Each structure stands twice: as C-alpha cells, then as structure tokens.
Amino acid sequence: MSNRPELTMKAPEPTSTRLVVTLGFAGLLSGLIIVSVYEATLPTITAYKAKVLKEAVFKVLPGVSSMRRLTYRDGRMIAATGEEEEEDLVFGGYAADGQLIGYAVPNAGPGFQDTIRLLYGYLPQERKVVGMEILQSRETPGLGDKIYKDAAFVANFDELSIDPEIITVKKGRKSAPNEVDAITGATISSKAVVQIINRGNQRWVPRFSGSETLPKPTPVGAQ
Amino acid sequence: MVRKKQEDVYQEFIKGLWRDNPVFVQVLGMCPMLAVTNSAVNALAMGGATFFVLVASSFLVSSLKSWIPKQVRISTYIIIIATFVTVTDFTLEALVPTIHKELGAFIPLIVANCMILGRQEAFASRNSVKLAVIDALGMASGFLFALFALGSVREILGEGALFGVPLFGPHFEPWVIMILPPGGFLTLGLLLLFFNWVKERKDRLAAQLAEGEAS
C-alpha cells in the first residue's frame, strides 16, 4: 500500500517506532474503553440472564416460591457448589414451607436448524411434565418457531405423563396422557422438542427417584 | 461564498440519503441488510447501531487524521471501528437484551461492514471534522432508511404486522417466505429495481429538459 507515489511523496517516511507506537497506543486506548464498558454493563447483563432463567423455572413449575441449583453426586441429589458443568445442573423448586415440589430440567438437542435449548418442569411423585419453556432456538420463522409461539403446542406440556415415553402424534389425534399434538408443517421441530425432553428424562428421572433426602433452600428466594 | 459552503454541507448530507445511498446505489453492507431485516424493529436496531458506529468513527478518524501515519491507517481505522462496535454490543445487551438476542452475531459483524471502513478511507480521512460528521450522518441515515424500508415490507407481508401490531385482522395468511432468507433477496431486488427506475426516469426528464432548452 505504501508504494502509492502520492502517499509516500507528501511526507517523509515515518520511522517504524512511530508506526508501532501509534498502533500500540490505539490498541491500548481501545482495550481500556472496552474493558470499562464491559465492567460497567456486566452487572446488568448477568442480572438479566439470572432473571430470565428464574422466570423460566417459576413458569415451568407452577406453585414454586424459591429455587436452587442441584446436582447429582454419589447416588443422590445435592446442592450445587458452583463448579459443575452447565449440563450437570438442574433446578429444584420449593414451596413456601421449604417442601420440594419438583425439578426444572434444562436440556438441549438438535432442532431443524440449530440447537434448541429448553427447560421443562418435572414432578417426580406424579411422574409428569408440567411445563416447557424454550430458552433458545433458531427454528424457521412462521413454522418451526411455533414450538414457543403457538400456545396450543406449549399447552401440550402442561400435563404430560412420561410413561413409557412421550410421543408425538398428528395434530388433533392426542388420546393418551403421554401424547403430544405435533405442529402441522413443523413436525421435525415438534419431534425435536419431545426428543430433548425424553433424553433429559432418561438421564435425570432415575436419579430423582433414588434421592429421598433433598437439600432444602436456606434463604427463601435466594439465587 | 458562505452560501456555496452551506450548499456543500447540504449536498454532503443528502447524497448519502438518496443519490449515493449505501444500500440502493452503492450496494454495500448487504450482509446485515439481508440477515436482520425480517422485522421493522430489528432493522431499526441494526440501523441505529450502525449509525452510532459510523458517526463516532468518522468523527474520530477525521479528528485524528494528521496523527495517523498512512502506513498503518487501515489498521487504526479497524481498531477505532471495532472499539465502537464492542461498546455498542455491550450497551445493547445491557439495555435491550431481547433485541440483542434477535440480532445475535450481526452486531459484532458491523466491524466488517464495508460501508463503514469505506467512508473512513474515502471521506473522513480526507475532509474536515465537520464535513466528515455530516457525510457520516447522511450515509448512516441512508443505511437506516434502507434497512427500515426492507424490514417493514418484509414484516408487513411476512407477519401481517408492523412493529408487532397486526394490520390485516385474523384472516390474513402471512407470506412466510418474506421473513425467510429468500424474502430478503426478493424484496431487495424489487427495491433496487424501483430505485433504478426512479433514477432513470429522472435522468430522462433532465435530458428532455436540456434538449428543450437547447432548441
């Protein structure tokens, strides 16, 4: 680029030091600005993410007044220490008197376009799914995105037996408590949602039944 | 003299809006243009973010132009642009998280919007701060206008709504294709056709007028 005559002839060639200093200074300033903006916005962003997750937990587990992160270790469910991987965590939902109501299980899996991440509420005593919330998806607008925009489809998961496993049926053919009406035109997305919940159940349900001593939340409404 | 100068300022602003519109005439910045214009709100947010980055970068580049050695100017412009983009990214995520989620990867990609770097290299680095800012304001408004035109057409036809407000009642069957990628290409193509048609008509009219005057 510096070979262009009109550029090199105007001013004497700057030394390499000057070039390095200029770029270094620009990089330093840029870094300072970015770090300060990052620090300034981080609390708002984390608070929002926590709020979204909390709202989702309360939505998929009706009647819950506090929640806490739980993980599975040595054959039982215990309170998470904060060092676990995301995929090893579920949320326990508790009633006002500290009694465990159910679990909110996050899980992800392949959808039609990209990974679908969702959260569903599960009651271990009744062996039922009682709510489902899509956290992230890139399904086709107008078709696949009905997995969260179509209230009738989402309502399928408000009371759904998991035995022997959840299955999708053609729209309007739902007859058994473990069946879900698929969305017309978005069969793959509907099946993906059911598949993700089934996989989550395969992994977590055996763990839930074996855990009689459940950790109670200490401060109500914390986390 | 003063009058001429004012006309210049006006011309610099208006050229970005219409004659040299970055989208409809220069056909720059197509990536965000096609990707995020599936609704009017997304288009406005993207246009707004680009607006801020372009105006702030142009201001800084033209103020610092005598300090930046020619050999490292492109890298310096990129550093400046990238800083403003990152600032915008964090600010949007903190202030309007839902829109930020929709725009996703396209906010960081503003760095690579050739319209922005192009304005720095072609205009801001050679003109006074005032003219550079006015040029950036014009270009950014032109980009915003183009994004909004595309976004609103696609939302009206694809969802039967504008800004999420339903327009046609419950019996309207949305043209799903309009909010899918092909709809972006179709709408952009038709808008380009329209702009070129208008331009051609104007040129022909001007030619006719000139002919009339000559005879």
Side-chain angles (χ1 to χ4, degrees), chain B:
Chain B
M1 181 70 197
V2 174
R3 188 134 181 221
K4 166 115 193 2
K5 234 180 174 173
Q6 260 174 4
E7 245 168 43
D8 269 2
V9 168
Y10 176 72
Q11 281 302 323
E12 292 302 347
F13 180 73
I14 213 74
K15 74 166 189 241
L17 269 182
W18 194 260
R19 207 185 65 230
D20 287 342
N21 186 294
V23 173
F24 295 131
V25 179
Q26 303 183 53
V27 201
L28 291 177
M30 285 298 108
C31 168
M33 181 77 201
L34 291 164
V36 299
T37 52
N38 50 10
S39 76
V41 173
N42 287 356
L44 279 188
M46 189 65 195
T50 314
F51 191 103
F52 167 74
V53 173
L54 179 55
V55 174
S57 312
S58 280
F59 170 75
L60 210 60
V61 164
S62 72
S63 335
L64 298 175
K65 61 179 178 289
S66 54
W67 300 73
I68 303 172
K70 298 278 178 206
Q71 288 82 351
V72 292
R73 66 187 192 288
I74 304 278
S75 350
T76 319
Y77 301 161
I78 287 287
I79 293 177
I80 293 174
I81 296 168
T83 310
F84 283 120
V85 170
T86 318
V87 167
T88 316
D89 192 23
F90 285 133
T91 316
L92 283 181
E93 192 173 1
L95 296 181
V96 279
T98 39
I99 289 180
H100 182 269
K101 204 176 144 198
E102 289 271 312
L103 297 182
F106 291 98
I107 297 274
L109 277 177
I110 297 176
V111 181
N113 189 326
C114 41
M115 175 191 81
I116 297 181
L117 186 61
R119 285 338 281 170
Q120 312 312 321
E121 172 69 1
F123 200 93
S125 59
R126 292 154 200 225
N127 285 285
S128 67
V129 177
K130 188 179 158 200
L131 276 184
V133 169
I134 288 187
D135 168 77
L137 284 173
M139 284 290 164
S141 313
F143 191 68
L144 186 75
F145 160 69
L147 280 174
F148 180 68
L150 204 64
S152 46
V153 167
R154 288 178 70 187
E155 190 181 348
I156 290 172
L157 295 177
E159 307 240 28
L162 189 61
F163 292 112
V165 182
L167 297 177
F168 304 123
H171 297 296
F172 177 75
E173 180 64 36
W175 307 9
V176 172
I177 194 167
M178 294 309 280
I179 40 179
L180 299 180
F185 285 101
L186 277 174
T187 319
L188 179 65
L190 290 175
L191 283 174
L192 283 176
L193 193 70
F194 173 73
F195 271 79
N196 277 308
W197 177 72
V198 168
K199 189 169 172 279
E200 205 173 273
R201 243 176 82 103
K202 223 169 115 190
D203 287 351
R204 216 180 313 137
L205 208 70
Q208 269 172 13
L209 276 179
E211 222 171 74
E213 262 172 36
S215 60

Side-chain angles (χ1 to χ4, degrees), chain A residues 10-21:
Chain A
K10 264 187 205 161
E13 193 84 3
T15 59
S16 306
T17 330
R18 170 126 196 267
L19 300 183
V20 172
V21 167

Side-chain angles (χ1 to χ4, degrees), chain A residues 72-142:
Chain A
Y72 178 78
R73 201 174 298 146
D74 308 326
R76 60 197 207 98
M77 300 299 298
I78 55 163
T81 52
E83 286 162 15
E84 290 83 5
E85 299 285 320
E86 276 296 304
E87 54 176 46
D88 290 328
L89 287 173
V90 291
F91 303 90
Y94 299 84
D97 59 359
Q99 202 70 36
L100 183 109
I101 294 180
Y103 299 96
V105 184
N107 202 15
F112 184 62
Q113 308 238 16
D114 198 358
T115 305
I116 299 177
R117 282 182 57 233
L118 56 78
L119 185 77
Y120 65 94
Y122 173 72
L123 302 186
Q125 262 110 34
E126 301 173 34
R127 295 182 64 81
K128 261 184 192 163
V129 168
V130 288
M132 185 274 295
E133 174 94 351
I134 303 284
L135 300 175
Q136 184 197 324
S137 87
R138 285 192 187 279
E139 297 306 285
T140 323

Side-chain angles (χ1 to χ4, degrees), chain A residues 47-69:
Chain A
Y48 175 77
K49 281 188 177 157
K51 191 180 132 230
V52 166
L53 194 64
K54 200 173 167 181
E55 276 173 8
V57 170
F58 287 179
K59 210 166 162 186
V60 298
L61 282 174
V64 160
S65 64
S66 68
M67 62 176 254
R68 92 184 295 189
R69 284 160 205 271

